[in-house]
Amino acid sequence: MSLSLGVDTGGTYTDAVLIKDEKTVIATAKSLTTRHDLAEGIGKAVEAVLRDAKADPDQVSLASLSTTLATNALIEGQGERVGLVLVGFSEADMKRHGLTDAMAGDPHILITGGHNHAGNEAHPLDEDALRDWLSQHGGDVSGFAVAAQFATRNTAHEKRVSDVIHEMAGKPISCSHHLSSKLNGPKRALTAILNARLIGMIDRLITRAQTRLKELGVHAPLMVVRGDGALISADFALERPIETILSGPAASIVGARWMTGATDALVSDIGGTTTDVAVLRDGRPAIDPEGARVGPFRTMVEAVAMRTSGLGGDSEAHFLSEGLQSSVSLGPRRVLPVSLIAMEAPDLVHEVLEKQLRSITLTEHFARFVRAVSGAHRTGLPPRDSALLERIGDKIHPLGDVLENRLEYNALRRLVDRGLVQVSGVTPSDASHVLGNADAWDAKAAHMALELFSRQRTGAGKRFSETAEEVAQIIVDQLTQQTSLALLETAFGEEADGFGLPAADLARHVLTQRGLSRHRGLVKLDAGLNLPVVGLGASAPTYYPAVGARLHCEMILPEHAGVANAIGAVVGRVTIRETGTITSPSEGTFRVHLDTGPEDFRSSEDALMRLEEVLKSNAQNAAVAAGAEGIRVVVQRDIRTATIEGQEVFIDAEVVAEASGRPRIAV
């Protein structure tokens, strides 16, 4: 008997599943994700699933990990402090392409250098400026991102910058040409920045997971799910952590297909932090041709075409008072549910909530708590941030007790963005506990928190709602509405060319919303989804029946919907794609742009053969390094030509080599 162990580390829960002979789920388990040491939650989930299956750890021949950690970090604006080296770009490029926002005040330098479209050096590299900057900032960042103009045409300057950084700082380096072979330097730079921010986080997750599994007696090789649903070895993932963005959602789609056999459907996976929606066509998820988008960032990472929104069971509930009307919105930030933090400090949380309920006035910090995340990277903090973090210490506090003035709100936000502090507040998870739809955490604390939420005043001076139960239903109804919009946006996005409006506008359009409500007047309006929805996530059975009713579609809730990511983690394949380009800088010259430098040929076929040879070898070797066996390599050519004065002229060509195989198992 062969056992495969799948583990998914999410924002709230860590899931584990055991699959026998790649066919049957024999046990599942959940444990709270432990942010201070992710291996702790992984260990508890794995111990539970092995115990429930009465399985010997030696029987596990494959272990695989999917994670929403990178996705959640980018959605919430978190990550470690990094330095950026841009070669051949300007400050205007930084602002125009969102790099200034992505750096969020972290150090960067723009130096002379770079290449042109043909791969020839545009300007000499200014090493002196780089060395001066590194002597100032090399010690106060966790890693570096490097991007040079036209680095995919010639990698020389990025490689030289990397060598100098390695020599002077000795810290992790993310070069843009390692992450994508496509043009668009600023977009590659953004991808390199995000990769650098994630290195420490993913390294801690993977290395601690490997250690914990070995302690439990699981010696099978560890694989990691990539953003396109393919599997890669843990070592491979450590080199390119950015490729694990959308890892969890991609695994959920693979798991949905494996569990349901669905060929055409929308797949919606609700977690603690995000809701991820993708389209399944002919049994396969589409790969986003423009690169994975997560929150505000469009990267150059190949990943499943998916809409990820900051909406989950632990999304922060906001009270909105506009004129005489009031309402609730959810997200995009995740907070710790009050019912969950009360499990850690019940006496404190209950005492504070009871005191707030006795108060005549309702302060802005009602039902909100704060705690530090131990073990996080704390270098480079401004004095105000450092002082606030020290004041929080290692205990849970009411939020109002640690903020001494208005200026500290920004400090708190920065600490949250860096992943150093977590805030607790009212969430849909709390609402579910009040309504009796969940009982895992402290329902009494949730009831008190929502009673306080209900006491807020509308623009007309009236109480928002009369009871905790009433406001809980309002919050759950809002989650239904926002989930429905996410599904409609995805569906319209597939068909947007036929409607002439952006998908988001179509989803919110008054005619769409009236159609969902089955408007009957002089005009009859009907709207809904024309495909079934596969609902995934531990809370899907709680929230998604109402979503199916709202959208008038079939809602499929698989038996193991709550551990779909963990299932998808072990039923996928290892797939590596290597891409290369050929240009024609002058008549009769065909230039192959390789990692080792450009090579020129006198015929296009010779150039194509050379590029195919290199890409096939690279893909084969990378697939082996990624943990594959039984590898098959397929090559595709995309040649662009133009007719000039009756003759066909070569413009450029892109070649893709794809190597695919099953993950190697322990014997």
Side-chain angles (χ1 to χ4, degrees):
M1 177 176 67
S2 172
L3 294 181
S4 299
L5 170 66
V7 178
D8 175 70
T9 302
T12 304
Y13 279 107
T14 294
D15 303 334
V17 63
L18 274 178
I19 297 178
K20 183 176 73 173
D21 300 330
E22 300 185 12
K23 295 180 181 179
T24 308
V25 176
I26 61 172
T28 66
K30 283 182 174 289
S31 175
L32 283 171
T33 294
T34 45
R35 290 293 184 99
H36 64 281
D37 182 0
L38 294 166
E40 187 179 316
I42 290 171
K44 288 180 179 178
V46 172
E47 282 181 306
V49 81
L50 290 171
R51 182 175 61 250
D52 291 350
K54 297 180 175 59
D56 189 320
D58 285 338
Q59 292 179 291
V60 177
S61 58
L62 172 67
S64 189
L65 175 70
S66 70
T67 179
T68 58
L69 198 63
T71 307
N72 293 349
L74 299 188
I75 284 282
E76 298 181 74
Q78 296 179 359
E80 297 185 350
R81 183 175 170 85
V82 299
L84 170 65
V85 180
L86 278 179
V87 183
F89 294 99
S90 66
E91 286 287 353
D93 293 323
M94 288 273 297
K95 294 177 181 177
R96 187 183 308 117
H97 298 282
L99 299 179
T100 302
D101 292 339
M103 287 304 292
D106 287 359
H108 72 275
I109 184 173
L110 295 94
I111 60 175
T112 304
H115 295 79
N116 61 24
H117 185 274
N120 299 318
E121 186 176 79
H123 302 282
L125 181 67
D126 188 349
E127 276 193 39
D128 291 339
L130 174 63
R131 290 180 180 275
D132 289 344
W133 180 78
L134 285 171
S135 65
Q136 297 178 52
H137 298 286
D140 61 359
V141 296
S142 63
F144 294 88
V146 179
Q149 196 172 43
F150 286 110
T152 56
R153 293 292 191 251
N154 192 321
T155 62
H157 284 185
E158 281 197 8
K159 286 181 173 179
R160 182 57 193 153
V161 169
S162 179
D163 289 342
V164 174
I165 293 174
H166 182 74
E167 170 197 331
M168 293 189 64
K171 293 183 178 178
I173 304 161
S174 295
C175 288
S176 79
H177 76 273
H178 286 155
L179 302 171
S180 176
S181 61
K182 297 179 180 179
L183 294 177
N184 194 330
K187 196 171 171 183
R188 283 199 323 278
L190 174 62
T191 306
I193 292 167
L194 301 180
N195 190 69
R197 287 206 191 286
L198 294 170
I199 285 175
M201 184 184 298
I202 299 302
D203 181 87
R204 287 191 294 274
L205 169 64
I206 291 176
T207 55
R208 289 292 292 127
Q210 288 174 317
T211 300
R212 190 71 189 100
L213 288 175
K214 288 178 181 177
E215 290 172 352
L216 293 172
V218 176
H219 298 287
L222 181 64
M223 309 295 290
V224 179
V225 181
R226 203 170 56 190
D228 60 358
L231 302 181
I232 53 177
S233 68
D235 290 341
F236 201 87
L238 290 174
E239 294 178 9
R240 302 183 186 183
I242 188 67
E243 294 193 0
T244 68
I245 61 170
L246 300 182
S247 162
S252 74
I253 297 173
V254 176
R257 165 70 174 152
W258 187 85
M259 287 187 290
T260 67
T263 56
D264 296 280
L266 286 167
V267 179
S268 185
D269 186 3
I270 181 170
T273 308
T274 62
T275 290
D276 309 301
V277 183
V279 180
L280 199 60
R281 292 284 195 187
D282 298 323
R284 294 173 62 90
I287 301 300
D288 193 331
E290 296 183 22
R293 178 188 285 278
V294 183
F297 303 116
R298 171 71 78 176
T299 72
M300 299 193 86
V301 176
E302 285 192 348
V304 169
M306 179 174 293
R307 288 178 183 260
T308 297
S309 56
L311 176 67
D314 300 343
S315 290
E316 183 176 11
H318 305 275
F319 175 72
L320 304 178
S321 182
E322 300 172 354
L324 299 181
Q325 301 297 316
S326 296
S327 60
V328 171
S329 71
L330 300 174
R333 286 184 175 270
R334 173 186 183 268
V335 293
L336 287 171
V338 176
S339 53
L340 175 55
I341 204 165
M343 299 290 286
E344 300 179 34
D347 293 341
L348 169 72
V349 172
H350 281 241
E351 180 184 347
V352 170
L353 293 174
E354 288 167 357
K355 181 179 178 181
Q356 291 175 348
L357 284 168
R358 290 193 300 268
S359 175
I360 298 174
T361 58
L362 194 66
T363 72
E364 60 187 318
H365 299 310
F366 76 88
R368 292 173 71 78
F369 301 85
V370 65
R371 73 171 183 198
V373 178
S374 62
H377 191 76
R378 301 188 176 201
T379 60
L381 290 178
R384 189 181 299 277
D385 299 19
S386 184
L388 178 57
L389 187 58
E390 185 176 348
R391 194 180 313 140
I392 294 171
D394 58 0
K395 295 180 180 179
I396 294 171
H397 304 269
L399 183 56
D401 287 1
V402 298
L403 295 178
E404 296 182 344
N405 54 61
R406 281 303 211 180
L407 293 175
E408 291 193 334
Y409 279 88
N410 290 332
L412 177 65
R413 174 59 62 88
R414 289 191 295 269
L415 291 173
V416 171
D417 288 347
R418 287 281 301 274
L420 299 175
V421 163
Q422 287 180 304
V423 173
S424 174
V426 172
T427 69
S429 294
D430 295 311
S432 292
H433 279 77
V434 169
L435 295 173
N437 296 327
D439 60 3
W441 303 330
D442 191 328
K444 183 179 178 181
H447 195 281
M448 287 191 284
L450 266 73
E451 171 67 23
L452 288 164
F453 196 100
S454 72
R455 294 182 182 182
Q456 296 176 100
R457 295 290 169 177
T458 69
K462 295 181 179 180
R463 178 168 165 158
F464 178 51
S465 61
E466 293 304 316
T467 65
E469 287 77 12
E470 185 179 326
V471 77
Q473 191 60 56
I474 291 172
I475 290 172
V476 170
D477 289 346
Q478 181 62 23
L479 188 143
T480 299
Q481 171 67 4
Q482 288 183 223
T483 303
S484 300
L485 287 173
L487 285 160
L488 286 170
E489 283 186 35
T490 302
F492 277 125
E494 290 286 299
E495 304 180 333
D497 291 344
F499 294 95
L501 287 173
D505 293 349
L506 288 166
R508 290 164 175 78
H509 199 284
V510 62
L511 293 179
T512 303
Q513 294 302 311
R514 290 291 181 89
L516 292 174
S517 300
R518 296 294 197 248
H519 173 80
R520 295 294 183 268
L522 292 178
V523 175
K524 174 183 175 181
L525 295 175
D526 290 312
L529 289 179
N530 198 35
L531 284 177
V533 174
V534 180
L536 304 177
S539 61
T542 299
Y543 301 125
Y544 277 13
V547 174
R550 172 71 176 158
L551 296 175
H552 308 289
C553 66
E554 179 186 4
M555 180 62 68
I556 302 171
L557 299 171
E559 178 185 358
H560 300 294
V563 292
N565 296 27
I567 290 172
V570 288
V571 297
R573 294 177 63 84
V574 176
T575 302
I576 299 293
R577 298 178 190 87
E578 293 284 339
T579 305
T581 306
I582 299 172
T583 60
S584 182
S586 61
E587 186 177 356
T589 299
F590 302 92
R591 179 164 293 170
V592 181
H593 299 277
L594 301 175
D595 190 52
T596 53
E599 295 181 12
D600 290 343
F601 294 84
R602 302 307 298 172
S603 79
S604 60
E605 186 58 32
D606 286 346
L608 286 163
M609 293 293 289
R610 171 59 175 156
L611 182 55
E612 285 187 8
E613 173 192 6
V614 172
L615 294 180
K616 286 170 69 175
S617 175
N618 289 349
Q620 173 84 22
N621 293 337
V624 171
E629 63 182 6
I631 298 168
R632 179 170 176 262
V633 182
V634 177
V635 177
Q636 289 186 322
R637 295 178 175 182
D638 182 10
I639 303 172
R640 289 200 312 146
T641 60
T643 302
I644 299 176
E645 297 180 353
Q647 288 190 323
E648 190 175 61
V649 177
F650 180 97
I651 303 298
D652 59 30
E654 182 178 87
V655 177
V656 180
E658 181 178 283
S660 182
R662 281 293 298 154
R664 286 192 296 274
I665 62 174
V667 294

